[in-house]
């Protein structure tokens, strides 16, 4: 059950990185590996059964690996549900533009594989009182999603002396103020 739980969590991370098609591909691979194991167990040492089992297992490993690498990253919707914050995608240029305009900015450095990030998002960043306060203050929220390695995000983290997530930066309205 612990292994199945790990597969569920890693499936979620895979979905965030490569989309729903990648998760279906993962489940198909697991099905082929399971079928190969079943055929191997039932073959009772017969050559035909061994070959069939190995073919299923090889297909379950190689096929999905090639398919997932070819999948594009999922599109991120730029629409917030009622009562939620609208998170803009991170770019250093966008943050600088917002700062020059005198807008307060909250940058959430996060990743789908980061359990602490997910807990913080659900318990704090989606809390109605936090959402209401950030909206009332006119804070622009920017998500620096490090799920897929991004050199710009790595450089930004490094500039703050950080090497990982979660990390949050708040820029005040004053463009000259430190974060």
């Amino acid at each position: 059950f612990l292994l199945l739980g790990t597969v569920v969590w890693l499936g979620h991370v895979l979905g965030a990185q490569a989309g729903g098609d990648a998760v279906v591909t993962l489940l198909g691979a697991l099905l082929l590996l399971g079928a190969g194991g079943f055929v191997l167990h039932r073959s009772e040492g017969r050559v035909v059964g061994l070959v069939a089992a190995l073919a299923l297992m090889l297909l379950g490993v190689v096929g999905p690996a090639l398919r997932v690498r070819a999948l594009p990253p999922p599109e991120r919707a730029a629409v917030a549900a009622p009562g939620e914050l609208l998170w803009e995608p991170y770019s250093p240029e966008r943050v600088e533009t917002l700062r020059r305009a005198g807008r307060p900015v909250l940058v959430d450095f996060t990743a789908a594989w980061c359990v602490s990030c997910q807990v913080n998002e659900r318990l704090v960043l989606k809390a109605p009182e936090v959402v209401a306060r950030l909206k009332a203050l006119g804070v622009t929220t920017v998500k620096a999603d490090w799920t897929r390695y991004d050199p710009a995000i790595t450089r930004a983290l490094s500039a703050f002396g950080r090497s990982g997530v979660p990390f949050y930066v708040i820029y005040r309205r004053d463009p000259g103020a430190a974060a």
Side-chain angles (χ1 to χ4, degrees):
F1 289 106
L2 292 174
L3 287 175
L4 287 174
T6 302
V7 168
V8 169
W9 176 62
L10 291 174
H12 163 72
V13 171
L14 179 63
Q17 287 184 318
D21 286 347
V23 175
V24 171
T25 301
L26 169 67
L27 295 174
L30 294 174
L31 178 66
L32 287 169
L33 290 170
F38 176 78
V39 170
L40 181 64
H41 176 73
R42 302 283 292 179
S43 70
E44 298 177 354
R46 291 182 298 232
V47 175
V48 171
L50 293 174
V51 169
L54 290 175
L56 284 168
M57 290 179 178
L58 186 63
L59 186 60
V61 171
V62 174
L66 295 174
R67 175 159 163 61
V68 168
R69 293 186 90 195
L71 292 171
E75 293 294 322
R76 302 281 191 242
V79 178
E84 290 189 2
L85 296 167
L86 175 64
W87 291 90
E88 295 187 22
Y90 175 82
S91 79
E93 299 80 17
R94 179 64 179 145
V95 171
E96 190 55 37
T97 299
L98 290 165
R99 293 192 70 207
R100 276 196 310 266
R103 301 280 312 266
V105 180
L106 167 64
V107 182
D108 174 12
F109 291 88
T110 187
W113 44 259
C114 170
V115 176
S116 298
C117 300
Q118 302 309 311
V119 170
N120 291 346
E121 182 177 321
R122 283 170 180 73
L123 296 181
V124 178
L125 296 175
K126 287 187 176 182
E129 57 274 12
V130 172
V131 171
R133 184 72 174 151
L134 290 172
K135 285 183 176 183
L137 292 171
V139 175
T140 300
T141 50
V142 176
K143 190 168 298 270
D145 188 350
W146 208 32
T147 301
R148 296 175 74 111
Y149 176 78
D150 183 328
I153 293 172
T154 303
R155 282 190 299 275
L157 285 167
S158 216
F160 285 102
R162 304 288 185 214
S163 60
V165 293
F167 183 61
Y168 306 92
V169 178
I170 298 175
Y171 293 101
R172 297 182 285 185
R173 289 186 190 279
D174 177 5

